[in-house]
Amino acid sequence: MKIKQIIYFILIVVGTLTVVFGPRYMVKEYALAIGIVFLMFGIYSVTTTYGDKNSEETDFEE
C-alpha cells in the first residue's frame, strides 16, 4: 500500500516539474500537456485510494 502512495506522489512531483521546467527543453504546449496528464493521474489515484481507506474505516466503526 505504501509503495503505491509513493508512486502517486512521484507522479505528482514529475508532473509539476514538467509543467514548470518542461518549456525550457521541449515545445511549451507538449510540456504543459504531458505535465497536466501526470498531475491529474497522480491526483486522481491519490484521491481514490484515500477514499477507499476512509470508507473501510467507517465500515468498522458501525
Side-chain angles (χ1 to χ4, degrees):
M1 283 289 201
K2 292 185 180 185
I3 293 176
K4 286 183 181 180
Q5 293 174 349
I6 292 170
I7 292 172
Y8 299 148
F9 179 74
I10 290 172
L11 280 173
I12 293 170
V13 170
V14 167
T16 304
L17 292 175
T18 305
V19 168
V20 173
F21 297 114
R24 294 181 184 178
Y25 302 108
M26 63 176 70
V27 179
K28 181 179 179 180
E29 290 80 13
Y30 293 149
L32 292 176
I34 292 169
I36 290 172
V37 168
F38 281 135
L39 273 171
M40 296 309 281
F41 183 72
I43 292 171
Y44 173 76
S45 301
V46 166
T47 56
T48 55
T49 57
Y50 181 73
D52 292 341
K53 191 167 113 177
N54 280 342
S55 66
E56 290 175 4
E57 290 176 0
T58 56
D59 290 341
F60 290 124
E61 292 175 359
E62 294 177 357

